[in-house]
């Protein structure tokens, strides 16, 4: 792994040196995150999580192709669902969110289509993520009839990271997609997606969970 990281760093430095131009910029994206959960032969996702994620990027220009490494602070995770406890006239519904606050390192390779006011870009690439913190957030709604809510409460519990079967893995990796339009003055709009390939729970857990995201954002790259 260390050799792969070292080789990647050397290739990135070599690319920057040989590039025609390097610009730096920032993006702010509205992200919809969810967990794809597979267990006992069934796959589904529950409620999505919404967040605004900031990030900084380098735009390494090779003509019609640019390489964009970056650093994002992103919310990953999603709803885990929850049980219904009680009977038809008096019951509680519990929903639990897994919220993972993640540093993400994407490296996108983009193809550029020049236009008079700017350019269209489209492409994608790999990403690696590291969860710096996380929490389980529970929402309990108590009903005394199908249409009568008597109490709503929330709880928050820190996520435990490690190799224990019920713990969460800190490391994530996957593939990104990115497309957008950038004006000649550096402003842009973009849309993106993230397809997590890593199972974020340990192998002894009966469930398998992968991160998924879709996003829309704005950005600015300095000239």
């Amino acid at each position: 792994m260390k050799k792969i990281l070292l080789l990647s760093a050397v290739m990135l430095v070599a690319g920057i040196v040989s590039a025609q131009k390097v610009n730096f910029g920032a993006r702010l994206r509205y992200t919809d995150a969810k967990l794809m959960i597979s267990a006992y032969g069934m796959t589904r996702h529950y409620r999505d999580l919404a967040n605004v994620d900031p990030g900084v990027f380098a735009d390494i220009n090779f003509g019609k192709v640019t390489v964009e490494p970056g650093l994002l602070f992103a919310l990953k995770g999603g709803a885990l669902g929850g049980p219904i406890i009680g009977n038809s006239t008096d019951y509680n519904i519990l929903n639990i969110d897994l919220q993972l606050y993640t540093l993400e390192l994407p490296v996108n390779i983009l193809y550029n289509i020049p236009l008079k006011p700017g350019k269209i870009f489209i492409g994608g690439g790999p990403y690696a993520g590291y969860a710096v913190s996380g929490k389980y957030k529970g929402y309990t709604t108590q009903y005394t009839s199908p249409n009568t809510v008597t109490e709503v409460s929330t709880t928050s519990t820190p996520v435990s990271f490690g190799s224990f079967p019920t713990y969460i893995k800190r490391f994530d990796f996957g593939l990104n997609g990115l497309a957008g339009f950038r004006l000649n003055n550096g402003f842009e709009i973009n849309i993106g997606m993230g397809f997590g390939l890593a199972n974020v729970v340990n192998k002894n857990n009966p469930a398998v969970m992968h991160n998924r995201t879709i996003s829309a954002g704005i950005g600015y790259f300095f000239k």
Side-chain angles (χ1 to χ4, degrees):
M1 178 62 72
K2 292 181 179 179
K3 292 182 179 179
I4 294 174
L5 292 174
L6 180 60
L7 179 60
S8 299
V10 171
M11 292 176 64
L12 182 59
V13 171
I16 293 175
V17 171
S18 62
Q20 298 178 16
K21 189 177 182 181
V22 180
N23 295 324
F24 296 93
R27 291 190 174 111
L28 195 65
R29 66 181 194 178
Y30 177 83
T31 302
D32 194 59
K34 64 184 178 183
L35 285 169
M36 295 303 298
I37 304 171
S38 300
Y40 307 109
M42 297 183 292
T43 300
R44 64 175 301 178
H45 83 274
Y46 298 90
R47 186 177 62 257
D48 300 351
L49 301 180
N51 196 55
V52 177
D53 301 333
V56 292
F57 294 83
D59 188 90
I60 307 169
N61 192 299
F62 296 93
K64 287 191 174 182
V65 175
T66 54
V67 178
E68 284 191 1
L71 176 63
L72 283 163
F73 184 70
L75 176 66
K76 294 293 186 75
L80 301 175
I84 300 175
I85 303 171
N87 53 53
S88 61
T89 59
D90 188 2
Y91 58 94
N92 297 341
I93 296 179
L94 173 63
N95 289 294
I96 301 172
D97 293 345
L98 171 60
Q99 301 180 0
L100 299 172
Y101 298 94
T102 303
L103 286 175
E104 184 176 303
L105 294 166
V107 181
N108 291 318
I109 300 173
L110 305 175
Y111 181 75
N112 303 292
I113 304 172
L115 300 173
K116 187 174 182 180
K119 67 177 182 179
I120 295 172
F121 57 89
I122 185 170
Y127 78 83
Y130 179 83
V132 294
S133 66
K135 63 182 178 181
Y136 295 103
K137 193 168 184 179
Y139 306 86
T140 302
T141 306
Q142 183 176 3
Y143 292 85
T144 54
S145 70
N147 298 314
T148 303
V149 178
T150 58
E151 183 180 353
V152 177
S153 61
T154 62
T155 59
S156 182
T157 304
V159 168
S160 296
F161 296 99
S163 58
F164 193 74
T166 59
Y167 289 1
I168 299 297
K169 295 178 181 178
R170 289 189 183 272
F171 289 97
D172 182 30
F173 62 88
L175 299 174
N176 280 321
L178 182 67
F181 175 72
R182 187 180 303 166
L183 294 169
N184 290 324
N185 62 12
F187 286 97
E188 72 169 48
I189 58 173
N190 58 72
I191 57 174
M193 57 78 67
F195 187 87
L197 299 176
N199 178 17
V200 298
V201 295
N202 291 293
K203 62 182 180 179
N204 292 327
N205 192 304
V208 175
M209 297 193 296
H210 296 90
N211 284 308
R212 300 285 189 269
T213 59
I214 57 173
S215 64
I218 57 174
Y220 179 77
F221 281 77
F222 298 92
K223 295 296 183 180

